Every structure is written in structure tokens, then in C-alpha cells.
Amino acid sequence: MITVNDLQAHPLDQVHRLIEPGPVILITTQHRGVPNVMTNGFNMMVRHAPPLIAATVGPWDYSYQALVETGECVVSVPTADMADTVVDIGNCSGADVDKFHAFGLTAVAGEKVQAPLVGECWANLECKVADTSLVGAYNLFLLEPVRAWTDPSRSRPRLFHHRGDGTFSVDGDVLDLKDRMTKWQYLL
């Protein structure tokens, strides 16, 4: 029998490395006519229908003010082949750099929000800020996708996930367990 004495304590300030959030995403905003894109590694799905996403964006992020003032953004989902660019986007500020130009990204106009989609990303979710009640305490925005787009030329996109220490994991094999999802068939 295993007891707690057989286990190793893990530092609480590194728990995020044990349960990583969703894939690394890009969040775009448009503020006073100027588009910006930021890298975000702390995000998660909150519910599936209607969809709701939580993302940490704080006052240290140039996009924070735009998100607060406009109440909208685009969540763009890059693939693993974009990892170097996505990390580089996160290493500079939109206050100093036109990131769309500097990184050769294509700003695509959406239908429901002013913030641009990122043409190079596999998926783009036009979002409205649904709830800011957790922003003051946790810098956590709840975002509701109001329009979603995917690139049909990418049948099996490989997403990547931040492990919290400068390393990333990349999606690999897919386990198809649909036949075992007996309680949740309506979601398939």
C-alpha cells in the first residue's frame, strides 16, 4: 500500500507545472484603431455550451487596457510549427512593437468583433468579455466566443502547451474512446 511517506512533496509555486492549462494561445485586441497580439499560456475552457473561456491577462500586459476598454478580443490557436514565433511574440510588448508587422502575421477582419483574427492560426474565436468579476482579484477574464473559425486545410493540427518552465509539450497521438463515453454521447 502506498502512503504519503512514499511520495515526494512538490512546491506549491510550481503546481501549475503539474496541471497545465489549455494550449498556448494568442489573444488579439484592437484599441483606438491599433491591433495587437499577445501570447497567453494561462487559459482554459470553462464550459462547452454556450462556450466560455477563462484567460489570465493582467495590467502588466499591454493588451490589458484594450481588453478592459473594448470588452472584446480574438483567441487565436496557433499550431506547434508556430511555437518559436509565439514565444517571441510573448517576449516583446505591443507598446514598443507592431507585432503583426514584426512577425509577419496576417490580420484578418472578423465578423463580430473589431480585433483581428490571425490568418496563420488553425483556429480563431471572436470573443466578447462575458464576466470581469474575477479580474480585480485574479486578472481572470471570462470570454464568450461569439463566432469561431478554423482552417480546413489543417486536418490534424498539433497544438502546444506551456509547462510553466520554458518547456512545452506538443499534442501527439489521439486516443479515440468515443465508444466508452456512454454518459456523454450527446457531446460527440
Side-chain angles (χ1 to χ4, degrees):
M1 172 183 231
I2 295 176
T3 70
V4 72
N5 294 327
D6 299 314
L7 304 174
Q8 180 179 351
H10 192 83
L12 290 176
D13 66 346
Q14 295 179 14
V15 167
H16 64 282
R17 296 179 184 172
L18 302 175
I19 302 177
E20 58 89 12
V24 175
I25 60 174
L26 296 174
I27 297 176
T28 69
T29 53
Q30 183 154 306
H31 190 235
R32 299 180 182 146
V34 179
N36 188 48
V37 58
M38 67 170 282
T39 300
N40 182 283
F42 285 90
N43 58 81
M44 67 176 181
M45 287 301 305
V46 174
R47 68 175 183 220
H48 54 80
L52 197 60
I53 300 166
T56 299
V57 179
W60 55 85
D61 295 310
Y62 181 70
S63 297
Y64 175 84
Q65 197 61 37
L67 193 55
V68 168
E69 288 184 22
T70 66
E72 62 181 37
C73 66
V74 171
V75 170
S76 299
V77 185
T79 50
D81 61 308
M82 294 180 65
D84 289 349
T85 299
V86 170
V87 170
D88 291 347
I89 288 168
N91 284 327
C92 60
S93 172
D96 307 314
V97 177
D98 175 345
K99 295 185 190 183
F100 276 91
H101 176 74
F103 296 102
L105 299 175
T106 307
V108 177
E111 290 184 354
K112 302 284 186 180
V113 301
Q114 294 299 308
L117 286 64
V118 178
E120 291 72 19
C121 286
W122 167 66
N124 284 275
L125 314 171
E126 297 181 51
C127 297
K128 298 282 188 177
V129 173
D131 191 323
T132 59
S133 63
L134 298 172
V135 172
Y138 303 106
N139 301 303
L140 190 70
F141 287 83
L142 294 179
L143 307 171
E144 183 177 358
V146 294
R147 189 75 164 108
W149 309 92
T150 58
D151 181 346
S153 71
R154 298 181 188 213
S155 61
R156 281 195 69 196
R158 295 186 71 206
L159 309 182
F160 64 106
H161 305 258
H162 187 231
R163 297 178 62 186
D165 62 353
T167 63
F168 298 81
S169 60
V170 178
D171 291 345
D173 295 335
V174 174
L175 299 176
D176 186 345
L177 301 175
K178 291 177 186 170
D179 60 330
R180 298 185 66 83
M181 300 285 290
T182 57
K183 183 177 179 180
W184 307 101
Q185 285 296 309
Y186 69 95
L187 294 175
L188 304 178

